[in-house]
Amino acid sequence: EGILKISGTHGIRWVAAQRRTLVALMKDLTAVIVDLEMTAKRDCGAAYGTMTPAGTFMGKSATFVFEDLGQRRRYKGTVTAVFEGATALRDTFTVYFQFDKKYVVYSREEIVLAFTDESRNGLSEHPAFVLMTELQQFRFVSFTYFMLDVHDTLSRMSKSFQARSGIISDIIDNLGFALADFDALKTICGPQERGFLAAVKEEDNSFGGTVLQNRQEAEAQNGPLQDDRRVLLESLSADSTRRFKEVLSDPTIKQLPIFDQRQWPPLDVAPVTALADFGNEELLSLCKDRFGHFFEDVDAEVLTNQWKRLKKTIQSGGMRLKKFKDLWADAVVQYQDEYGYV
């Protein structure tokens, strides 16, 4: 029942929050489709379905539709032979037609359709049957795997915001990576979608026991699947930029990464003053322009000298290898007296 609630949900936020539900749906797609079919046909009084034992059709008759000179004609036929495949979907059936004394071979899908009048008692309008039809569309399944790739990107970006010891430079980088991924996914399939496409059988578009419908239409250039991707990714990019990038572009936020020791030039990099000069202007701006009311008595020259010596002390010892949070927690304890302003 939890999985079937997908029929009443909409929006990227829901999809991103329910990745496990989508994975479960794709894993049990055939079982869900069969259950929907059985539910709809039980309610509408239709007896035959995808998982009906092949032998059940033996000797039974149904009406089959033929195209004759542009007109649809219906003739009664009787199942005279059953050939079971590796799966129910691979079964084939031989049907004899009295009107022209001929035998015709039908697939499982065709035989079920002949024995099930979709208009009977409102079967085609039954909510379970409508949902079953949607779940069988190539467009839906392919887009779902595409959404798993999108969610993986969103998850990486989200974790950088949620980390207990988050570093602003990492958040800025991860946002940039996410926006680049969104742009790439417009034309290149991600690993989840590639895995799905590799698993679809070319001869009949079957996937895990389900024959997917309307693949050619979905994959057409500038077709519905491409349009779905483009619209969603453009919306995601715009929303991410509006919510995060503009905030991260604040001058104060952009100056704070100077404290990330991973960004500091090594001691031996040219020019020799690279490390000494790194972040000096940003530090003074933070001290005077942004937090001046806290540091009214701080001498700029003293602050700059302490900052230069502290960077050299950290870069020349083992502290440079520590994580950001650990490094500055230790630095506050060890160097409070010597580099107190910083």
Side-chain angles (χ1 to χ4, degrees), residues 219-238:
E219 290 190 314
Q221 187 173 7
N222 299 322
L225 190 54
Q226 288 299 319
D227 193 51
D228 290 342
R229 298 164 70 100
R230 179 186 57 77
V231 171
L232 186 137
L233 290 169
E234 288 179 355
S235 177
L236 265 180
S237 296

Side-chain angles (χ1 to χ4, degrees), residues 138-166:
F138 182 91
R139 176 182 178 182
F140 171 81
V141 179
S142 184
F143 189 78
T144 298
Y145 277 95
F146 157 74
M147 280 307 309
L148 291 177
D149 286 315
V150 170
H151 179 71
D152 288 343
T153 295
L154 288 172
S155 178
R156 288 191 294 271
M157 182 172 66
S158 176
K159 287 177 180 177
S160 67
F161 281 96
Q162 298 176 31
R164 296 182 62 185
S165 57

